[in-house]
């Protein structure tokens, strides 16, 4: 290793290789909002698929929904977001810059203009408000959801009555969420438009503590299964004063970023807060009937919530590596194969071997596997290009290939090469796909 990963290096790689672009780049960007490029899009869909699969593989009932991004004001009033979803804000009276009060030291000067003249701290509401249609009535006010969870709670009865599920069971969802963060920062870490993957696990009050521990263990081991370095990950219980308005116990799965230990996923015991609130405000019965005790009760909820973008950033930090190779610096993304955007590259050693090599590549492409074919530049440069985007295998078609029915396979991490039969390429590639990976349980 020649140097450690920094945020700047990662941002630069993401832009250079087409993982992430600033939104509306050509107009100067939009703070806290990003677009995924071709490689970022492939990698994000792997992340989503792996998360979904990690839940589907369990011997538990978990169904999935895809809720709307907009919700009526009454819903956000019931959830507590209208009243409680804000951050403390201060403004520098001299240059009018605004900061989250917990991000700056108010005893010191403004980091932008150097003057010390702060306003009092006030609460800043984080939800994006909008108006539906041309009407200006209060009932047409809507908000973009600041968490996907509420779509699950307001659909609880719909799912319950249509899906033949029984307590305990889970409703999971992947989708966009929006927060008007005062200071979006650290690239994808704190954004204004981002994506969440959330599981709401419905159970009885008596079993909630047990399930809280179950999910904390399960979610931590998920990160291990997708290659997150165990020395950079930990589970931390929240202190009482850190808890959100809905939670009585929360543990965070934290990752050690270059800017410190930070939350990657939150596991929260939400009690029966959300369903009770929505039942009270909507005046709909959201309780379930227990056939054994012949009583109705409101289920309790354990929530596991992680951001797609934050996990994506974590996986990049976890994988980024620079090392000295033959007097040069090799940048390599040591991504777990299941996460890697490109599963394999097919490289003819020289131009005139392109055709047979491209035929092998086309066989895999036809199966819907994301593979690349690259003929331009020296073979060494082409290997480096694939290293930088985390491609686990490069298959090189050389002068022996036609005669012996073989290619060489080069392993990204060790850079070792071995000669293998062309018909065994598939066995390498199937292990890289989240859809094709054999079940580990
Ligand atoms: N439903 C619970 C909830 O939303 P949260 O701790 O505010 O809890 C859950 O968010 C996860 O969503 C975080 O652990 C993080 O991974 C992701 N997340 C939250 N705010 C984010 C932001 N502004 N930008 C990117 N990801 C964010």
């Amino acid at each position: 290793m020649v140097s450690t990963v920094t945020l700047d290096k990662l941002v630069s790689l993401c832009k250079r290789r087409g993982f992430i672009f600033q939104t509306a780049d050509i107009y100067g960007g939009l703070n806290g909002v990003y677009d995924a490029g071709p490689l970022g899009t492939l990698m994000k869909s792997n992340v989503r698929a792996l998360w979904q699969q990690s839940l589907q593989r369990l011997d538990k009932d978990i169904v999935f929904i895809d809720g709307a991004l907009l919700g009526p004001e009454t819903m956000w009033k019931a959830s507590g977001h209208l009243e409680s979803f804000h951050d403390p804000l201060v403004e520098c009276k001299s240059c009018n810059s605004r900061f989250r009060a917990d991000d700056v030291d108010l005893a010191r000067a403004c980091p932008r203009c150097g003057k010390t003249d702060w306003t009092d701290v006030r609460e800043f509401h984080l939800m994006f408000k909008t108006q539906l249609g041309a009407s200006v009535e209060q009932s047409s006010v809507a908000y973009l959801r600041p968490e996907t969870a509420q779509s699950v709670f307001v659909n609880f009865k719909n799912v319950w009555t249509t899906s033949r599920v029984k307590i305990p069971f889970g409703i999971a969802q992947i989708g966009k969420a929006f927060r008007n963060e005062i200071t979006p920062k650290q690239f994808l870490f704190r954004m204004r438009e981002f994506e969440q993957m959330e599981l709401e696990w419905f159970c009885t009050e008596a079993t909630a503590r047990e399930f809280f521990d179950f999910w904390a263990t399960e979610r931590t081991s998920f990160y291990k299964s997708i290659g997150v370095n165990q020395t950079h990950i930990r589970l931390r219980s929240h202190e009482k004063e850190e808890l959100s308005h809905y939670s009585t116990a929360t543990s965070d799965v934290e990752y050690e970023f270059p800017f410190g230990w930070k939350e990657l996923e939150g596991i929260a015991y939400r009690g029966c807060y959300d369903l009770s609130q929505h039942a009270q405000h909507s005046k709909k019965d959201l309780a379930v009937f227990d056939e054994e005790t012949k009583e109705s009760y409101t289920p309790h909820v354990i929530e596991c919530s992680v951001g797609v973008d934050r996990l994506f950033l974590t996986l990049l930090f976890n994988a980024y590596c620079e090392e000295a190779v033959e007097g040069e610096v090799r940048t390599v993304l040591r991504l777990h194969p299941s996460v890697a955007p490109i599963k394999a590259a097919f490289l003819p050693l020289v131009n005139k071997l392109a055709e047979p090599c491209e035929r092998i590549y086309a066989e895999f492409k036809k199966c819907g596997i994301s593979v690349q074919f690259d003929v331009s530049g020296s073979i060494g440069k082409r290997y480096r290009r694939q290293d930088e985007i985390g491609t686990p295998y490069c298959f090189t078609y050389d002068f022996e290939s036609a005669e012996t029915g073989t290619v060489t396979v080069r392993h990204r991490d060790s850079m070792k090469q071995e000669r293998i039969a062309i018909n065994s390429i598939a066995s390498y590639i199937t292990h890289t796909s989240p859809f094709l990976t054999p079940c580990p349980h």
Side-chain angles (χ1 to χ4, degrees):
M1 187 103 99
V2 290
S3 61
T4 49
V5 53
T6 62
L7 187 62
D8 287 346
K9 284 183 186 174
L10 213 62
V11 173
S12 155
L13 174 85
C14 280
K15 177 153 192 194
R16 192 169 69 245
R17 301 311 310 271
F19 282 89
I20 299 290
F21 306 124
Q22 178 96 44
T23 285
D25 209 356
I26 56 170
Y27 292 103
L30 194 57
N31 202 2
V33 188
Y34 294 90
D35 296 337
L39 292 181
T41 302
L42 288 172
M43 186 165 145
K44 278 172 92 172
S45 60
N46 291 338
V47 167
R48 290 187 203 101
L50 286 161
W51 179 83
Q52 183 162 337
Q53 208 178 59
S54 75
L55 299 181
Q56 284 171 326
R57 277 181 166 166
L58 297 171
D59 62 342
K60 301 260 176 285
D61 269 346
I62 297 177
V63 293
F64 292 79
I65 66 160
D66 185 7
L69 309 186
L70 287 166
E73 185 161 56
T74 42
M75 169 176 159
W76 303 114
K77 194 160 182 227
S79 69
H81 284 87
L82 275 191
E83 198 177 300
S84 313
F85 204 61
H86 35 61
D87 275 343
L89 170 95
V90 283
E91 191 169 328
C92 167
K93 287 189 197 162
S94 173
C95 69
N96 299 114
S97 296
R98 291 173 156 197
F99 301 91
R100 251 173 85 139
D102 47 4
D103 277 347
V104 284
D105 181 353
L106 298 180
R108 303 180 74 160
C110 167
R112 298 255 165 81
C113 71
K115 304 253 167 62
T116 310
D117 193 6
W118 298 107
T119 60
D120 288 339
V121 176
R122 64 182 171 88
E123 298 296 354
F124 178 76
H125 201 255
L126 299 180
M127 286 171 74
F128 288 100
K129 186 177 184 180
T130 189
Q131 194 88 26
L132 298 189
S135 160
V136 287
E137 286 154 24
Q138 197 58 21
S139 61
S140 64
V141 169
Y143 290 83
L144 284 170
R145 60 184 182 185
E147 60 169 6
T148 60
Q150 296 306 321
S151 310
V152 169
F153 299 127
V154 296
N155 272 303
F156 173 74
K157 241 343 176 358
N158 288 335
V159 174
W160 170 258
T161 50
T162 56
S163 304
R164 299 174 63 84
V165 278
K166 284 208 176 82
I167 304 282
F169 77 99
I171 305 180
Q173 180 179 203
I174 301 175
K176 288 266 185 171
F178 303 81
R179 295 182 190 177
N180 199 3
E181 300 282 359
I182 299 168
T183 42
K185 59 180 177 182
Q186 279 124 2
F187 193 33
L188 308 181
F189 185 81
R190 193 188 290 160
M191 303 158 79
R192 289 189 169 129
E193 175 180 336
F194 56 100
E195 210 175 339
Q196 289 185 313
M197 302 186 284
E198 299 201 296
L199 164 71
E200 310 301 324
W201 179 255
F202 297 92
C203 59
T204 60
E205 184 174 5
T207 57
R209 188 68 228 187
E210 199 183 307
F211 278 123
F212 182 81
D213 294 341
F214 168 82
W215 284 112
T217 309
E218 192 58 40
R219 297 305 307 147
T220 312
S221 63
F222 168 67
Y223 295 107
K224 194 172 169 189
S225 78
I226 57 170
V228 178
N229 183 336
Q230 291 305 284
T231 60
H232 290 300
I233 203 150
R234 70 180 185 196
L235 193 67
R236 186 183 70 81
S237 295
H238 275 210
E239 302 295 333
K240 218 168 174 193
E241 55 280 4
E242 286 179 86
L243 295 172
S244 310
H245 63 275
Y246 49 74
S247 176
T248 48
T250 295
S251 285
D252 285 344
V253 179
E254 292 187 333
Y255 182 78
E256 190 178 21
F257 292 92
F259 40 87
W261 284 96
K262 301 279 176 198
E263 173 183 345
L264 168 59
E265 170 160 353
I267 297 144
Y269 177 29
R270 298 181 76 123
C272 59
Y273 174 82
D274 302 275
L275 288 182
S276 304
Q277 285 291 109
H278 287 301
Q280 188 193 331
H281 285 252
S282 66
K283 303 195 174 35
K284 299 283 181 328
D285 178 16
L286 301 183
V288 297
F289 186 71
D290 186 329
E291 294 292 346
E292 266 171 35
T293 62
K294 306 284 177 218
E295 278 176 20
S296 283
Y297 68 98
T298 305
H300 279 230
V301 171
I302 310 297
E303 173 186 77
C304 306
S305 172
V306 56
V308 174
D309 314 85
R310 197 173 288 182
L311 176 51
F312 178 92
L313 181 69
T314 302
L315 293 169
L316 288 178
F317 271 121
N318 189 64
Y320 188 98
C321 185
E322 286 177 357
E323 53 191 27
V325 176
E326 293 160 7
E328 283 183 3
V329 176
R330 169 174 101 119
T331 302
V332 53
L333 283 186
R334 295 178 188 274
L335 292 169
H336 191 272
S338 63
V339 167
I342 303 296
K343 304 303 180 186
F346 291 84
L347 313 172
L349 187 63
V350 293
N351 231 328
K352 66 178 180 194
L353 296 172
E355 220 181 287
C357 184
E358 196 168 11
R359 272 202 299 276
I360 306 174
Y361 151 80
E363 285 302 309
F364 288 95
K365 188 168 182 301
K366 253 196 302 198
C367 300
I369 299 169
S370 56
V371 285
Q372 279 189 354
F373 175 75
D374 187 3
V375 71
S376 65
S378 73
I379 190 75
K381 283 222 173 79
R382 281 180 277 161
Y383 285 150
R384 292 287 184 275
R385 278 208 286 268
Q386 296 299 332
D387 290 342
E388 215 185 26
I389 62 171
T391 307
Y393 303 110
C394 289
F395 298 100
T396 303
Y397 193 96
D398 59 18
F399 293 107
E400 278 183 46
S401 296
E403 205 175 309
T404 58
T406 62
V407 288
T408 61
V409 54
R410 175 190 179 268
H411 299 260
R412 176 196 66 200
D413 296 346
S414 64
M415 293 184 288
K416 291 221 167 84
Q417 296 184 36
E418 53 184 318
R419 188 161 285 281
I420 58 160
I422 290 173
N423 60 17
S424 67
I425 295 176
S427 66
Y428 284 80
I429 294 185
T430 48
H431 285 282
T432 63
S433 166
F435 303 104
L436 304 173
T437 311
C439 180
H441 297 295

